[in-house]
Amino acid sequence: MNARPIDHLVLPVAGLTAARSRLTKLGFTVAPDAFHPFGTANACVFFSDGSYLEPLAVANRRHASAAAKRGNVFTARDLAFRKGRDRQGFSALVVATGDAMADHARFKMRGVSAGDVLEFSRGMTLADGTETQASFRLAFAGDDRAPDFLMFSCQRINPLPADRDELERHSNAVMGLSEIILSASAPSDFAPLAEQVLMTKAKPEAASIELAAANARIRILQDHELDAEFALPSTPDAEGLRGRLIIFKTADLAVTEITLAANDVAFVRREGRVLVSAAPGQGVLFGFEE
């Protein structure tokens, strides 16, 4: 199997204004707001490794609810997540694919399909003010034991512009994703799901599992491991698989620290990383490492 690259990570936020403010303070360049045809909106952070963050807000709850009732998996799962997580967090891991329909067929055959394929287009404003149209096809995978976390593959039918240099330059020196940390009481329970989405084998590591995407590492840990490595407290009331931490690859950690300090963002140094606690507009712990 050829491991899939991470395409993007979905981060539900209460509103895009707060998300833009927080992410800008963290040293990220944030793209202009963009609106989906089913009631949600985003303000993405693009990286030079081809991945991006998708801070996601509900722009029109009536449209989003109607889309969910019509079988739109994306909006249905987003609205459900917001009810249980106070509207903020890390709700989905997305891989790039060249054939979402083939992925959907495989997900169904392997028993991990989370619903029907979704195809849509949306407008996007570039940094220079020009407009473009992007089209996507999504194939969803999930596990009934993990109501708070979704995985899906994303086929860019009419892709986002290849030349995004301005949007991919960040004052914190971040180049892309390094590691994605999820948690579960029994990480191995979710190995089949992750393997089908990422197209790579899970490697057992004591009580946890590790998978290598084409452009980042994914670890599923138990809560006590999160506490030991990241001083991240456990969430005993949460169910199944959860998104807990995003670690970014930076070209110069000293530049990252200087940027955070200049913007009055609190951080700690731990095991060669800089860690920034979750805050409004940033629903999970962020880490930075060289």
Side-chain angles (χ1 to χ4, degrees):
M1 296 187 291
N2 293 321
R4 296 278 174 83
I6 303 297
D7 187 81
H8 66 281
L9 306 175
V10 182
L11 306 175
V13 296
L16 294 184
T17 300
R20 181 180 298 282
S21 174
R22 177 62 177 177
L23 293 169
T24 300
K25 281 187 176 181
L26 289 168
F28 293 110
T29 300
V30 185
D33 294 0
F35 296 85
H36 298 134
F38 34 75
T40 52
N42 62 31
C44 296
V45 176
F46 295 101
F47 303 121
S48 56
D49 70 349
S51 67
Y52 64 96
L53 301 181
E54 183 183 19
L56 185 74
V58 176
N60 187 312
R61 184 164 290 274
R62 183 169 61 86
H63 288 173
S65 297
K69 289 176 182 175
R70 290 194 301 268
N72 183 315
V73 177
F74 184 81
T75 53
R77 292 293 292 258
D78 180 64
L79 293 174
F81 181 93
R82 292 171 190 279
K83 285 183 181 177
R85 290 289 170 271
D86 195 27
R87 300 192 294 177
Q88 307 247 4
F90 170 23
S91 66
L93 181 153
V94 189
V95 299
T97 183
D99 191 340
M101 296 305 296
D103 288 347
H104 176 63
R106 189 179 75 257
F107 295 161
K108 288 181 70 175
M109 182 176 68
R110 299 295 185 183
V112 298
S113 174
D116 294 337
V117 169
L118 173 64
E119 187 169 333
F120 70 95
S121 299
R122 69 165 176 84
M124 178 183 177
T125 304
L126 303 182
D128 63 2
T130 58
E131 300 280 341
T132 187
Q133 193 81 358
S135 299
F136 308 89
R137 185 178 291 141
L138 314 180
F140 301 98
D143 188 310
D144 290 342
R145 298 167 297 179
D148 283 335
F149 202 77
L150 182 66
M151 295 188 184
F152 58 94
S153 61
C154 176
Q155 180 182 1
R156 301 183 184 186
I157 299 169
N158 181 30
L160 296 168
D163 184 12
R164 298 197 303 261
D165 286 352
E166 286 186 51
L167 292 175
E168 291 173 356
R169 282 198 291 268
H170 306 286
S171 62
N172 58 18
V174 167
M175 302 177 293
L177 301 174
S178 179
E179 192 169 20
I180 312 303
I181 305 294
L182 313 177
S183 72
S185 58
S188 60
D189 285 354
F190 301 100
L193 169 65
E195 287 176 341
Q196 287 303 314
V197 174
L198 292 160
M199 294 295 286
T200 188
K201 293 295 290 182
K203 180 173 132 184
E205 293 283 343
S208 64
I209 63 171
E210 179 182 319
L211 303 100
N215 58 348
R217 181 168 71 152
I218 296 93
R219 283 193 288 157
I220 307 179
L221 307 179
Q222 292 183 325
D223 275 342
H224 69 87
E225 295 176 293
L226 285 166
D227 187 23
E229 186 172 351
F230 303 105
L232 195 59
S234 62
T235 53
D237 60 328
E239 295 181 69
L241 188 63
R242 287 154 281 147
R244 303 299 301 278
L245 170 65
I246 301 167
I247 301 176
F248 301 95
K249 180 68 72 176
T250 176
D252 190 331
L253 196 56
V255 170
T256 307
E257 291 187 8
I258 290 168
T259 301
L260 296 173
N263 292 328
D264 293 322
V265 175
F267 62 89
V268 297
R269 301 176 185 88
R270 189 179 178 91
E271 297 186 9
R273 302 184 183 106
V274 167
L275 302 178
V276 178
S277 296
Q282 173 211 333
V284 292
L285 183 67
F286 280 3
F288 302 86
E289 65 183 18
E290 288 186 2

